[in-house]
C-alpha cells in the first residue's frame, strides 16, 4: 500500500488549475490550426486567425486564455493500492482555492444556486472519482466555462428512437445553441447508462484528445457522421457563418436498461481546457 | 464596411452601421453582466440614479479575470448576452446605444433596439487575452462587492467588434449562415 499525503494533491490541483487556464492542450491547438487550413469562408478564416492569435498570446504571456476560467471539474483515477493521508475532498478544494487566487483566475462560483453569493475562491470543485487498479493517482483538471455548459442538453430517448434519434438530438442541440457557446465547439456525447451517468460520460468525453476516436468502429463512425452533419449546419466560428462549427465530436457509451436510451450532449467551446498529472 | 468610432455612440453614429460591418471602438465603455444588471434594474425601480448615464453609452457584457500585478485588467472577452435580455429593453429606452457580447438576443431586445436606434456588437468569445490588449484603463465605479461582476469604466482603443444586429434589426447570425450555405451550393 502506497501512502500519499493529501497536501501533494493540493499542490498538483493548484498547478493544474493555473496551467489549464493558460495553455491550451497541443491537440486542441493542432485541431484548430487544421480547421483554419480547411476553412474557405473569409469571415470564418478571420475569426479562426484571432482565436489562434489569442491562445498563442495567452501561452506566451501566461495569462488566462478566456475570462471565464470556469468551474473546476476535477477527475481522479484513484489506484486501489493508494492510501491518502488526510482529507481528499478538502485537499482538492484547497488546490482550487490556491490555484485560482495565485493564478489571477476569475472566481465564478456561487455557494447556493438561488441565493447566489460568490464563494470568493472558486470552490467547491466538481469532483468525480474512479477507482482503478495500481498505486498511482491520475488527476485531471478541466475548467468548464458556462457559456457552453448552459447550452448542454440531456434527453431520455426511447429505444425505438435508435441511432437516428441520437443523431437528430445531438445535431439539433448544437443548432439550437447556435452562436451562444462560442463555436467552434467540441461536443461530448454520452449514450446509455442512467440519467446521471449519461451526463457524466458526456463530460468525460470532452477530456479525450481531439483527433482520437472511440475504440469501437461503430461509434468512431458515428462520431464522424455527427461531426459532418454539425459542420454542414453553416453556423461557423462565433456563429458568423462558415464550415467550422465543431472541432470534434467524442461519443462515450454505457450499458443501459431495456426501456431506455439516455443521451447527453455536453458542449465545450474552442477553449477546450484540460490538464493532467500522475502522482 | 469598416468603421472607426469615437464614443459616445450617438444615434447618428449608430445609424449607418449594418450587420456584418467591422467596427473599432475608441473611448469609454461600461462593463456590466448578470448581477450588475439586476442591481441597475433595482435602482431604476427605486427611482435612484444609475452609476453611469445610459444615454449614448455602450455596455460590454464581461466579467474580467483579476489584473495581475502591473496589468490594467486580466482577460476580458464577452459573455453570452441572452442572460441580460430581461434588462436590456429598459436600458435601451433610457438611451443605451450599444451592447457588446456574444450570442443570440430575444425579439423584445431587437424590437427595443430598433426603437432606440441601437446596435448589438459581437466580440470574439474566448479571445479574452487578445481583447484585453485593447483596454487602456479600467476603473471600478460601482458594486465592488460583486467582484468580477462589478461595473467598470473602460477606456478602449481600437476595440474590435462586429455588428451582429443593426438598428434596422438585420441579424448577422441569420445572414452569415445563409450566405455561407448559399455559397456552398
Amino acid at each position: 500500500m502506497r501512502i500519499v499525503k493529501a497536501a501533494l494533491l493540493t499542490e498538483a490541483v493548484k498547478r493544474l488549475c493555473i496551467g489549464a487556464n493558460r495553455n491550451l492542450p497541443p491537440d486542441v491547438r493542432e485541431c484548430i490550426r487544421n480547421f483554419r487550413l480547411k476553412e474557405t469562408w473569409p469571415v470564418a478564416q478571420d475569426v479562426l486567425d484571432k482565436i489562434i492569435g489569442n491562445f498563442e498570446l495567452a501561452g506566451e504571456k501566461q495569462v488566462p486564455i478566456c475570462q471565464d476560467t470556469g468551474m473546476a471539474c476535477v477527475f481522479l483515477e484513484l489506484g486501489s493500492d493508494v492510501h491518502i493521508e488526510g482529507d481528499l475532498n478538502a485537499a482538492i478544494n484547497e488546490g482550487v482555492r490556491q490555484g485560482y487566487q495565485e493564478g489571477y483566475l476569475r472566481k465564478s462560483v456561487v455557494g447556493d444556486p438561488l441565493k447566489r453569493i460568490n464563494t470568493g475562491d472558486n470552490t467547491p470543485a466538481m469532483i468525480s472519482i474512479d477507482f482503478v487498479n495500481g498505486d498511482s493517482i491520475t488527476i485531471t483538471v478541466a475548467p468548464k466555462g458556462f457559456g457552453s455548459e448552459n447550452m448542454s442538453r440531456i434527453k431520455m430517448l426511447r429505444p425505438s428512437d435508435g441511432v437516428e434519434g441520437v443523431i437528430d438530438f445531438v445535431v439539433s442541440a448544437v443548432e439550437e445553441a447556435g452562436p451562444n457557446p462560442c463555436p467552434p465547439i467540441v461536443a461530448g456525447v454520452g449514450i446509455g447508462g442512467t440519467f446521471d451517468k449519461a451526463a457524466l460520460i458526456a463530460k468525460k468525453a470532452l477530456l479525450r484528445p481531439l483527433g482520437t476516436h472511440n475504440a469501437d468502429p461503430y461509434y468512431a463512425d458515428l462520431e464522424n457522421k455527427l461531426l459532418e452533419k454539425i459542420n454542414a449546419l453553416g453556423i461557423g466560428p462565433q456563429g458568423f457563418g462558415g464550415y467550422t462549427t465543431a472541432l470534434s465530436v467524442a461519443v462515450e457509451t454505457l450499458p443501459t436498461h431495456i426501456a431506455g436510451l439516455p443521451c447527453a450532449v455536453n458542449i465545450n467551446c474552442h477553449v477546450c481546457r484540460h490538464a493532467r498529472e500522475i502522482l | 464596411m469598416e468603421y472607426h468610432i469615437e464614443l459616445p455612440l450617438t444615434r447618428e453614429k449608430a445609424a449607418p452601421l449594418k450587420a456584418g460591418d467591422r467596427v473599432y471602438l475608441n473611448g469609454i465603455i461600461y462593463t456590466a453582466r448578470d448581477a450588475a444588471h439586476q442591481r441597475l434594474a433595482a435602482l431604476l425601480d427605486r427611482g435612484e440614479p444609475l452609476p453611469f448615464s445610459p444615454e449614448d453609452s455602450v455596455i460590454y457584457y464581461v466579467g474580467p479575470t483579476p489584473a495581475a500585478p502591473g496589468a490594467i485588467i486580466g482577460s476580458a472577452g464577452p459573455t453570452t448576452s441572452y442572460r441580460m435580455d430581461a434588462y436590456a429593453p429598459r436600458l435601451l429606452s433610457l438611451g443605451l446605444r450599444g451592447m457588446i457580447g456574444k450570442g443570440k438576443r430575444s425579439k423584445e431586445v431587437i424590437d427595443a433596439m430598433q426603437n432606440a436606434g441601437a446596435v448589438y456588437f459581437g466580440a470574439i468569445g474566448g479571445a479574452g487575452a487578445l481583447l484585453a490588449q485593447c483596454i487602456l484603463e479600467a476603473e471600478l465605479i460601482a458594486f465592488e462587492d460583486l467582484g468580477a461582476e462589478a461595473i467598470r469604466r473602460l477606456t478602449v482603443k481600437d476595440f474590435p467588434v462586429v455588428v451582429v444586429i443593426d438598428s434596422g434589426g438585420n441579424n448577422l447570425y441569420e445572414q452569415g449562415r445563409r450566405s455561407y450555405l448559399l455559397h456552398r451550393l
Side-chain angles (χ1 to χ4, degrees), chain A residues 39-41 46-47 50-51 53-54 57-58 61 63-69 104-107 118 147 150-151 175-182 231-235 238-243 270-271, chain B residues 22 24 33 62-69 75-80 82-83 102-104 122-131 133 146 148 160 162 164 172-174 176-177 179-181 183-184:
Chain A
E39 182 62 71
T40 56
W41 194 236
D46 180 50
V47 173
K50 291 199 167 98
I51 284 171
N54 181 67
L57 180 72
K61 294 184 71 176
V63 296
I65 306 161
C66 176
Q67 77 291 335
D68 187 353
T69 50
Y104 296 94
L105 306 178
R106 197 180 80 189
K107 289 86 178 175
N118 198 301
N150 280 339
M151 295 297 115
E175 185 168 23
E176 197 188 320
N180 293 11
C182 294
N231 285 337
L233 291 173
I235 294 168
Q238 296 297 313
F240 299 160
Y243 174 71
H270 54 90
V271 188
Chain B
R22 287 188 207 190
Y24 296 88
R33 45 171 293 155
V62 59
T65 59
S75 288
T79 196
T80 325
Y82 74 94
R83 298 192 314 272
K102 64 170 173 92
K104 299 178 219 179
I124 293 184
L130 205 63
L131 290 166
Q133 300 225 315
L146 294 180
V162 172
V164 173
L172 175 63
Y173 292 140
E174 290 156 14
R177 189 176 170 192
S179 22
Y180 169 72
L181 290 173
H183 138 96
R184 285 239 310 194

Side-chain angles (χ1 to χ4, degrees), chain A residues 110-176:
Chain A
V110 292
D112 179 285
L114 291 178
K115 299 171 198 162
R116 307 200 74 82
I117 306 295
N118 198 301
T119 61
D121 58 10
N122 222 55
T123 66
M126 293 290 115
I127 303 171
S128 59
I129 302 176
D130 283 322
F131 294 97
V132 297
N133 291 327
D135 65 355
S136 64
I137 308 170
T138 303
I139 311 174
T140 307
V141 174
K144 187 67 171 75
F146 263 53
S148 58
E149 191 76 350
N150 280 339
M151 295 297 115
S152 302
R153 296 286 180 266
I154 190 161
K155 189 168 185 184
M156 305 306 280
L157 297 167
R158 296 168 300 182
S160 64
D161 291 327
V163 68
E164 290 308 320
V166 167
I167 292 171
D168 283 351
F169 173 59
V170 173
V171 174
S172 63
V174 175
E175 185 168 23
E176 197 188 320

Side-chain angles (χ1 to χ4, degrees), chain B:
Chain B
M1 287 285 286
E2 199 170 288
Y3 294 88
H4 290 257
I5 288 185
E6 296 295 328
L7 300 168
L9 188 61
T10 57
R11 193 181 270 269
E12 292 66 38
K13 286 180 196 167
L17 304 178
K18 291 281 167 259
D21 287 345
R22 287 188 207 190
V23 178
Y24 296 88
L25 298 173
N26 289 282
I28 304 288
I29 60 177
Y30 296 95
T31 75
R33 45 171 293 155
D34 307 60
H37 271 79
Q38 207 174 3
R39 290 212 190 162
L40 292 175
L43 288 174
L44 290 173
D45 286 344
R46 295 199 297 268
E48 291 173 26
L50 300 183
F52 64 94
S53 163
E55 182 76 40
D56 293 342
S57 292
V58 174
I59 290 183
Y60 184 18
Y61 301 144
V62 59
T65 59
I72 293 156
I73 198 167
S75 288
T79 196
T80 325
S81 307
Y82 74 94
R83 298 192 314 272
M84 271 53 77
D85 281 0
Y87 310 102
R90 199 164 177 190
L91 294 169
L92 288 163
S93 73
L94 296 172
L96 179 71
R97 200 81 61 205
M99 299 164 284
I100 308 171
K102 64 170 173 92
K104 299 178 219 179
R105 306 309 302 262
S106 68
K107 186 178 179 302
E108 289 73 19
V109 173
I110 297 171
D111 289 347
M113 283 174 55
Q114 286 177 259
N115 286 331
V119 179
Y120 172 50
F121 298 107
I124 293 184
L130 205 63
L131 290 166
Q133 300 225 315
C134 305
I135 299 172
L136 304 183
E137 284 174 51
E139 187 193 351
L140 198 148
I141 60 163
F143 315 144
E144 185 168 9
D145 61 300
L146 294 180
E149 291 202 70
I151 294 189
R152 291 170 171 81
R153 183 194 291 120
L154 304 182
T155 308
V156 297
K157 185 171 164 38
D158 294 330
F159 191 89
V161 291
V162 172
V163 177
V164 173
I165 303 173
D166 61 35
S167 54
N170 302 299
N171 192 330
L172 175 63
Y173 292 140
E174 290 156 14
Q175 290 178 358
R177 189 176 170 192
R178 204 180 308 128
S179 22
Y180 169 72
L181 290 173
L182 281 172
H183 138 96
R184 285 239 310 194
L185 287 177

Side-chain angles (χ1 to χ4, degrees), chain A residues 1-17:
Chain A
M1 180 70 73
R2 181 179 163 216
I3 295 173
V4 171
K5 285 196 179 0
L8 273 183
L9 288 172
T10 298
E11 283 301 312
V13 168
K14 174 177 136 181
R15 280 193 299 272
L16 290 168
C17 286

